[in-house]
Amino acid sequence: MSTLPRRAKIQAQTVKSQDEFSYFSEPSSASEEDDEEDSIWEPQKKVSRSRKPSAPKESKPKRGPRVKKSPRQRGAGSEPVAVKEEPDTSVAIADVDLEENKNKAGTAQTLKTARAKRKPSAQRTKKLKVDEEASRACPTEGGCSNTETPSTSSACEGGCKRENDGADFPLNEPALKRVKTEACPEGQPAKFAAGANSIKEEVEMNWDIVQVLCERTNIEPWVCANIIRLFNDDNTIPFIVRYRKELINNLDADSLREIRQALEELRAVAKKVHSTIQKIKKEEKMSECLLKALLNCKTFEELEHVSAPYKTGNKGTKAQRAKQLGLEGAAWTLLENPGRLNLLSYIKPDVTGLAELQDIEMGVQHILADMIAKDKDTLDFIRDLALNPFVCSLVAYGLGKLISQKLHQVNIHIAGILAINRGENLKILTVKINIPDGMRNEFCRWCIQHRWRPRGFARPELMKILHNSLDDSFKRLIVPLLCREFRAKLTSDAEKESVMMFGKNLRQLLLTSPVPGRTLMGVDPGYKHGCKLAIISPTSQILHTDVVYLHCGQGFREAEKIKRLLLDFNCSTVVIGNGTACRETEAYFADLIMKNYFAPLDVVYCIVSEAGASIYSVSPEANKEMPGLDPNLRSAVSIARRVQDPLAELVKIEPKHIGVGMYQVKQCGCTRWRMSLEFVCYGKRPWCTCSLSHDVSQTLLKATLDSVVEECVSFVGVDVNICSEVLLRHIAGLNANRAKSIIEWREKNGPFINREQLKEVKGLGPKSFQQCAGFIRINQAYIRTCCSSQQTGSSGPSQGVAVTDEKQGKKKSKAAASVELKPNPLDQTCIHPESYDIATRFLSLIGGTLSEIGKPEMQQKINLALQKEGIEQTADKLQTTASTLQVIIDGLSQPESFDFRTDFDKPDFKRSIVCLEDLQVGTVLTGKVENATLFGVFVDIGVGKSGLIPIRNITEAKLSKTKKRRSLGLGPGERVEVQVLNIDIPRSRISLDLVRVL
């Protein structure tokens, strides 16, 4: 019931927002007659102004309830979960504290408090200052449109969340997660991110950020609104994906990254618009029309188009010079009342530009062309026209050939766009956008009949001026803008697709199934400087390092050394890096294995990527982890550890150096960039596009890859008592300083007993604890072992009673609190501490105990309970959501050593090798995906050269159900069955067809 009045007042607010920023070319008249005339030639989508008065009436009650929330109300008792509603997306983004379950008494009390304590804020002062300046620039409208109702993209004074007073953590009370609605996703007040409010305080835009975000991402408006609120509250993507599923409609992490990127772009545009407005106002060049045109800008290209004439040092446009001559009134008269226009009256023989009638007509034409090119509705129409039914094409001239690709086609190659851009930058190609003549004709017809039709009879000479203005505006102003927008969109889409492909491949590589419990020999192949060896234990400890020279005529003698090392350390698995001399080293070990040289050991080997190993070996992290060890031997250690625990090892390397992106495919012998450009542009699939690796935005690349690493590490989880500092810093909510503080606390006080002790770590505040707590695990067996060993042999302070420094009274009380801490079996699960109360009640409901977590008995009880009542009914009974209950069920069912990476593919261990010459067309082989690109997938089939599966041969029917469910497709590490289609021995190329995914 409470949704209906709120939705009504929100709609009224939106109407006002659209009305106060109508198209900037509206005639300056306040009379009712002019308003009626405006409706004749204004766009039909304009909303009636009769609904204006409802906005100020409804806006006052909205701010009252957001002034204060007492902690007692948040923590008192158990509140029912609000059913997910379809929120109105035109709500201002800052309005996040609307509650569904407020009663009348609470509302009245809050309003009373708000009236008593409300004071003028700095935010309102800034807003009024902007409005006063805008009103001076808009005298014809009374200067009051900006001060009545804020735009939906602006911040509300009372809408900001406030942090809890004192040092208490928000998760101290178990019932905080019981209420989660779209209006209040956390179920508790918290402050906005600092960067989320700055733009709204400074400038109001004419567009609703939620609506624009919805259009750009094809996500439901209510989901976009919730995501914005969650990001404003400093929530991380892993936390949102796992613990706030119902608010984001079960979107995955990739979708959230796309939305966050689009949101940041819109905010950057708004910030740039604000700074541009301030600069133009300083130069006293601001006008009503310019202000509205700037506030309509949604992209940097639009902003550049509108603000270019007003840049410092610019001589001004033709329209500006005509306005300086006083011809703007003539242009308006031609549109509003053409019968009264007499151009002869403007002739002044002694003034340049007004001496002849032809000069006056040309000046009026320039002013009208400028008005048309900056009108929002006109630009929206021409953009829609460019998409349908007319199709523009991109044409590139160079290399003695013509390259033409239609825009807006689904099959346009992303690599082709980046290659064409690079060719243009290197002056090899000349690129242009072809716009068909039919678009110009349709544009002129629409303008004459609808948007720019004069309001009365216009003489033929005046209509000729209007027609010339439309042609001039289209050719000189609109077409260049469209070309810039097309090129920018193509480049942006190409960069995003390339970076997304890199992120998917990186995720697949990081989630490769570990091979624990084995002693491994890592081999970093080499010719002149030998092959570096490193043997590591099942716990990743370095047992032995050495160098052998296998390819310098000493292979037989070195074989004895290798055999002795394998027997001494009982090592039966060899890991070979795929760098220089990999093929020869693989053949060497395969030959010895086939001869049964290492008997009685059954030795197998595998090939792994060594990308980034050399960079890591000379890094400060490697020097700190392996002090005194030669950097060449560190590479061999890293190669071995990549099989034992790929995630823990690969996070030590900067993601872009791992080499699984679209442009890190194997080289094909193509030494000239021009040749690889031909491969891309003429439809030949590129086997080498490594020269394009710097074409994408490095900022976007780094942000995406860092987010993927954080996602993978968080979802796998870490044991806080044994994990490394490097791994810990990639957990959601943590960084290098917080990870270092956790390690220092662990070294000083011993192992963590439960998650509550994380609150004692210096620098780990309430928000950080909320974000990271669910991804940090505490192994109960390890705690029991530590406690028993301390009780039997240690005389110092035991960690069951972790005592801190007692120099101050506060620290004494904190130490006393630590004594009472006990192990909590829920700390080893993925259940968040905010849901512990619900998990306890669920255990009571099914008759389970904490000691049964991860055991078959627990799974049986859960299945029995869900058979009687479905998960939805059970969630309602527990006063929570189905998504939260599902996380609890997963946490209680999974065994203590659960690792979801075991569902992914393991390294492909081999004993023999096949040569390229041995292949035949039609042969069916098993291989491992090395890299995935937008044009195909490269597969290692064990012949030294990777084969390519073209993207057209990878269909959904050939993917397993698991791959479809994960939406991962094919990525590095996947085991596939392929069939040889074509073999090109001179160029070492193999074309493959996908048979099935293993």
Side-chain angles (χ1 to χ4, degrees):
M1 294 295 295
S2 61
T3 305
L4 296 178
R6 186 193 307 112
R7 187 168 295 172
K9 65 187 178 186
I10 288 168
Q11 291 174 353
Q13 183 184 22
T14 307
V15 170
K16 181 61 189 171
S17 175
Q18 293 177 351
D19 229 306
E20 63 190 36
F21 294 116
S22 58
Y23 60 90
F24 74 89
S25 58
E26 180 180 349
S28 56
S29 174
S31 65
E32 295 181 0
E33 295 179 358
D34 286 346
D35 287 341
E36 293 175 358
E37 291 178 354
D38 288 350
S39 63
I40 298 175
W41 68 299
E42 284 181 357
Q44 297 180 359
K45 65 181 182 180
K46 293 294 178 183
V47 183
S48 173
R49 301 186 180 184
S50 60
R51 298 168 64 185
K52 285 184 187 177
S54 61
K57 293 180 181 179
E58 296 291 339
S59 59
K60 291 182 181 179
K62 289 171 64 178
R63 284 171 26 203
R66 295 193 299 271
V67 173
K68 184 177 181 182
K69 265 190 191 176
S70 64
R72 291 190 299 270
Q73 292 176 348
R74 291 195 308 272
S78 173
E79 300 177 12
V81 175
V83 179
K84 181 175 68 177
E85 299 176 334
E86 183 80 2
D88 192 293
T89 57
S90 57
V91 173
I93 296 175
D95 287 345
V96 295
D97 292 303
L98 297 176
E99 297 183 358
E100 303 293 337
N101 56 347
K102 283 187 286 195
N103 53 40
K104 295 182 179 179
T107 304
Q109 180 64 28
T110 312
L111 286 171
K112 183 177 179 181
T113 307
R115 296 190 191 99
K117 296 187 177 181
R118 186 169 58 223
K119 297 181 180 180
S121 65
Q123 178 183 4
R124 177 170 290 275
T125 304
K126 288 184 179 181
K127 180 178 180 296
L128 291 177
K129 187 179 295 184
V130 173
D131 293 337
E132 289 173 2
E133 293 174 352
S135 65
R136 297 192 204 106
C138 310
T140 58
E141 294 188 1
C144 60
S145 60
N146 287 345
T147 60
E148 293 182 8
T149 305
S151 170
T152 54
S153 61
S154 64
C156 294
E157 177 186 0
C160 299
K161 294 185 176 181
R162 299 183 178 177
E163 220 173 317
N164 295 333
D165 295 331
D168 293 339
F169 282 69
L171 300 179
N172 280 338
E173 303 173 3
L176 285 179
K177 192 171 179 284
R178 285 193 290 266
V179 177
K180 296 191 301 181
T181 66
E182 291 79 3
C184 188
E186 309 303 329
Q188 59 181 346
K191 70 173 184 178
F192 266 139
N197 290 329
S198 59
I199 298 172
K200 301 167 195 155
E201 291 175 357
E202 295 172 351
V203 69
E204 295 177 358
M205 303 301 293
N206 285 9
W207 36 265
D208 180 6
I209 194 170
V210 175
Q211 188 62 34
V212 176
L213 199 62
C214 171
E215 293 171 357
R216 293 191 177 183
T217 59
N218 286 329
I219 304 296
E220 293 92 336
W222 70 270
V223 177
C224 289
N226 282 343
I227 292 173
I228 292 174
R229 296 178 185 120
L230 290 168
F231 283 145
N232 285 349
D233 201 24
D234 292 334
N235 290 287
T236 60
I237 287 180
F239 177 82
I240 296 172
V241 170
R242 175 171 286 181
Y243 301 113
R244 297 294 184 262
K245 290 181 179 180
E246 67 277 6
L247 296 181
I248 62 172
N249 203 20
N250 293 316
L251 291 178
D252 57 13
D254 288 332
S255 299
L256 287 182
R257 271 188 286 272
E258 180 183 354
I259 295 174
R260 183 170 64 180
Q261 180 187 347
L263 177 63
E264 291 173 353
E265 289 178 358
L266 289 173
R267 287 176 170 169
V269 170
K271 186 175 181 180
K272 186 69 178 292
V273 167
H274 171 68
S275 62
T276 303
I277 290 175
Q278 298 304 319
K279 288 180 182 178
I280 296 177
K281 284 182 178 179
K282 276 186 178 181
E283 298 173 2
E284 299 182 352
K285 297 180 181 178
M286 183 59 68
S287 66
E288 171 194 0
C289 301
L290 177 59
L291 178 63
K292 291 185 178 180
L294 288 171
L295 293 176
N296 283 333
C297 295
K298 299 178 184 176
T299 64
F300 288 109
E301 289 74 31
E302 290 183 45
L303 178 59
E304 177 67 21
H305 174 69
V306 175
S307 63
Y310 303 92
K311 290 184 177 179
T312 305
N314 195 300
K315 296 181 180 180
T317 63
K318 295 178 180 180
Q320 285 178 317
R321 293 195 290 271
K323 290 178 182 179
Q324 292 173 359
L325 294 173
L327 296 178
E328 185 175 8
W332 281 112
T333 305
L334 190 152
L335 294 173
E336 298 172 10
N337 196 350
R340 296 175 50 189
L341 180 60
N342 182 12
L343 296 179
L344 295 176
S345 63
Y346 289 89
I347 295 178
K348 296 181 180 180
D350 56 339
V351 179
T352 304
L354 299 177
E356 298 179 0
L357 180 61
Q358 184 178 359
D359 296 337
I360 295 173
E361 292 177 349
M362 188 60 66
V364 173
Q365 173 185 319
H366 290 156
I367 293 174
L368 290 174
D370 184 72
M371 292 166 53
I372 294 168
K374 293 179 180 177
D375 179 64
K376 177 182 181 297
D377 297 312
T378 303
L379 292 177
D380 289 343
F381 174 79
I382 194 65
R383 290 188 184 103
D384 294 339
L385 199 63
L387 296 176
N388 186 29
F390 301 100
V391 179
C392 304
S393 60
L394 182 145
V395 180
Y397 303 90
L399 304 176
K401 297 184 180 180
L402 172 66
I403 308 165
S404 179
Q405 294 187 1
K406 290 183 178 180
L407 305 183
H408 316 302
Q409 277 191 332
V410 178
N411 61 349
I412 187 169
H413 301 307
I414 298 301
I417 295 299
L418 297 178
I420 288 174
N421 290 346
R422 188 173 180 85
E424 186 180 25
N425 293 334
L426 295 176
K427 310 299 182 184
I428 296 175
L429 298 178
T430 301
V431 185
K432 62 176 291 188
I433 302 289
N434 277 348
I435 296 180
D437 293 336
M439 184 185 297
R440 179 180 62 84
N441 298 334
E442 180 65 20
F443 168 76
C444 294
R445 185 196 62 79
W446 178 82
C447 289
I448 290 295
Q449 294 184 2
H450 298 89
R451 189 68 178 92
W452 299 97
R453 182 178 182 178
R455 297 182 182 175
F457 174 76
R459 299 185 300 275
E461 60 270 19
L462 297 182
M463 290 301 298
K464 182 180 179 181
I465 294 175
L466 183 57
H467 279 286
N468 292 339
S469 301
L470 292 172
D471 288 338
D472 180 46
S473 178
F474 184 82
K475 294 178 181 178
R476 181 169 58 89
L477 300 175
I478 294 180
V479 167
L481 172 64
L482 290 178
C483 292
R484 289 194 299 269
E485 289 182 347
F486 284 151
R487 294 292 304 278
K489 187 177 186 306
L490 287 174
T491 301
S492 176
D493 291 345
E495 288 184 348
K496 291 175 183 177
E497 287 292 331
S498 302
V499 171
M500 186 180 300
M501 179 61 69
F502 201 138
K504 289 182 178 179
N505 291 345
L506 177 62
R507 181 193 295 111
Q508 193 81 27
L509 188 63
L510 292 176
L511 296 181
T512 301
S513 181
V515 184
R518 291 194 188 189
T519 302
L520 303 177
M521 172 184 282
V523 182
D524 185 7
Y527 289 114
K528 183 177 180 180
H529 300 287
C531 298
K532 279 69 67 177
L533 306 180
I535 299 179
I536 63 172
S537 68
T539 58
S540 296
Q541 301 299 317
I542 302 175
L543 302 177
H544 182 79
T545 58
D546 210 330
V547 179
V548 293
Y549 299 88
L550 307 181
H551 314 301
C552 300
Q554 306 178 22
F556 181 76
R557 186 179 63 184
E558 299 291 2
E560 289 292 332
K561 180 192 290 187
I562 295 174
K563 180 179 180 180
R564 186 174 65 255
L565 290 175
L566 293 177
L567 291 173
D568 290 346
F569 294 99
N570 194 25
C571 175
S572 60
T573 305
V574 178
V575 183
I576 305 174
N578 67 344
T580 305
C582 167
R583 176 67 174 172
E584 291 78 5
T585 306
E586 180 187 12
Y588 178 85
F589 276 94
D591 182 60
L592 294 178
I593 292 173
M594 292 297 292
K595 295 177 179 178
N596 203 22
Y597 183 79
F598 301 114
L601 295 176
D602 182 16
V603 177
V604 295
Y605 73 91
C606 67
I607 309 295
V608 298
S609 172
E610 64 176 32
S614 299
I615 297 176
Y616 166 72
S617 64
V618 295
S619 66
E621 292 290 346
N623 190 38
K624 179 181 178 181
E625 184 180 3
M626 296 174 279
L629 191 63
D630 184 83
N632 294 317
L633 297 175
R634 292 174 185 168
S635 298
V637 175
S638 177
I639 289 172
R641 287 176 174 173
R642 292 186 183 197
V643 171
Q644 199 168 68
D645 192 345
L647 181 62
E649 189 63 26
L650 292 176
V651 295
K652 303 174 184 177
I653 304 168
E654 195 172 354
K656 67 180 181 181
H657 294 148
I658 293 180
V660 289
M662 181 172 172
Y663 305 120
Q664 280 70 28
V665 297
K666 281 193 173 182
Q667 295 193 9
C668 63
C670 168
T671 57
R672 292 189 305 158
W673 176 82
R674 183 171 298 189
M675 285 294 295
S676 69
L677 179 66
E678 288 182 349
F679 288 150
V680 174
C681 297
Y682 302 131
K684 301 175 183 178
R685 297 296 186 265
W687 293 69
C688 175
T689 54
C690 54
S691 57
L692 303 179
S693 58
H694 299 290
D695 286 348
V696 298
S697 168
Q698 297 302 304
T699 303
L700 174 62
L701 181 64
K702 185 179 187 306
T704 302
L705 298 185
D706 289 345
S707 177
V708 170
V709 173
E710 180 185 68
E711 170 198 343
C712 293
V713 176
S714 299
F715 286 168
V716 172
V718 298
D719 188 341
V720 70
N721 288 320
I722 61 175
C723 70
S724 66
E725 179 183 332
V726 178
L727 191 63
L728 194 61
R729 69 178 59 159
H730 291 288
I731 287 290
L734 301 182
N735 53 27
N737 292 333
R738 292 167 188 158
K740 183 179 180 181
S741 299
I742 292 176
I743 298 299
E744 290 176 351
W745 193 99
R746 187 177 72 189
E747 293 175 350
K748 179 180 179 181
N749 301 280
F752 287 87
I753 299 299
N754 59 28
R755 286 171 172 167
E756 289 295 316
Q757 287 183 292
L758 290 169
K759 299 177 181 179
E760 302 177 9
V761 177
K762 180 181 178 182
L764 196 68
K767 195 65 184 180
S768 299
F769 177 79
Q770 181 197 41
Q771 298 299 305
C772 74
F775 307 113
I776 289 179
R777 312 291 174 82
I778 296 180
N779 189 289
Q780 299 300 301
Y782 182 84
I783 296 300
R784 289 192 293 268
T785 303
C786 290
C787 292
S788 60
S789 63
Q790 288 176 353
Q791 290 175 359
T792 55
S794 177
S795 59
S798 65
Q799 179 43 0
V801 290
V803 180
T804 58
D805 190 3
E806 299 185 357
K807 292 183 179 180
Q808 299 179 5
K810 290 184 178 180
K811 294 188 177 181
K812 285 183 179 180
S813 61
K814 188 176 289 187
S818 300
V819 174
E820 301 175 359
L821 292 175
K822 297 180 181 179
N824 188 342
L826 294 175
D827 289 339
Q828 68 183 352
T829 69
C830 61
I831 303 174
H832 198 280
E834 66 184 3
S835 301
Y836 279 3
D837 178 65
I838 302 174
T840 303
R841 287 188 279 124
F842 178 70
L843 286 174
S844 301
L845 181 66
I846 65 174
T849 61
L850 293 176
S851 60
E852 296 175 339
I853 292 178
K855 296 181 180 179
E857 297 84 5
M858 176 64 72
Q859 186 64 57
Q860 294 175 1
K861 293 180 180 179
I862 291 175
N863 293 339
L864 185 62
L866 294 182
Q867 287 176 0
K868 295 180 180 178
E869 298 179 344
I871 189 170
E872 294 286 348
Q873 295 181 357
T874 307
D876 293 340
K877 182 179 294 186
L878 296 173
Q879 297 180 340
T880 185
T881 63
S883 301
T884 301
L885 181 57
Q886 185 61 56
V887 173
I888 293 174
I889 292 173
D890 293 341
L892 297 177
S893 305
Q894 294 165 354
E896 184 175 337
S897 59
F898 174 78
D899 188 343
F900 80 96
R901 290 178 295 173
T902 55
D903 294 337
F904 291 78
D905 298 284
K906 294 184 178 181
D908 189 16
F909 295 101
K910 300 182 288 186
R911 292 181 175 84
S912 61
I913 190 172
V914 180
C915 299
L916 180 64
E917 291 76 11
D918 298 335
L919 289 180
Q920 293 181 357
V921 175
T923 305
V924 177
L925 302 168
T926 299
K928 183 183 70 172
V929 175
E930 275 196 338
N931 195 14
T933 69
L934 295 172
F935 51 82
V937 172
F938 290 90
V939 180
D940 178 12
I941 55 177
V943 296
K945 294 291 181 180
S946 296
L948 174 68
I949 306 176
I951 196 65
R952 62 178 178 273
N953 293 340
I954 303 175
T955 61
E956 187 177 356
K958 296 179 181 179
L959 298 177
S960 63
K961 293 182 179 179
T962 330
K963 311 300 178 188
K964 294 176 189 175
R965 185 177 66 250
R966 295 197 203 116
S967 298
L968 294 175
L970 288 180
E974 299 272 7
R975 295 183 68 248
V976 294
E977 190 175 275
V978 295
Q979 184 179 22
V980 180
L981 296 180
N982 186 33
I983 306 170
D984 188 347
I985 296 180
R987 293 193 293 179
S988 299
R989 293 184 179 177
I990 310 168
S991 296
L992 304 173
D993 182 26
L994 177 64
V995 177
R996 63 190 179 98
V997 180
L998 301 177

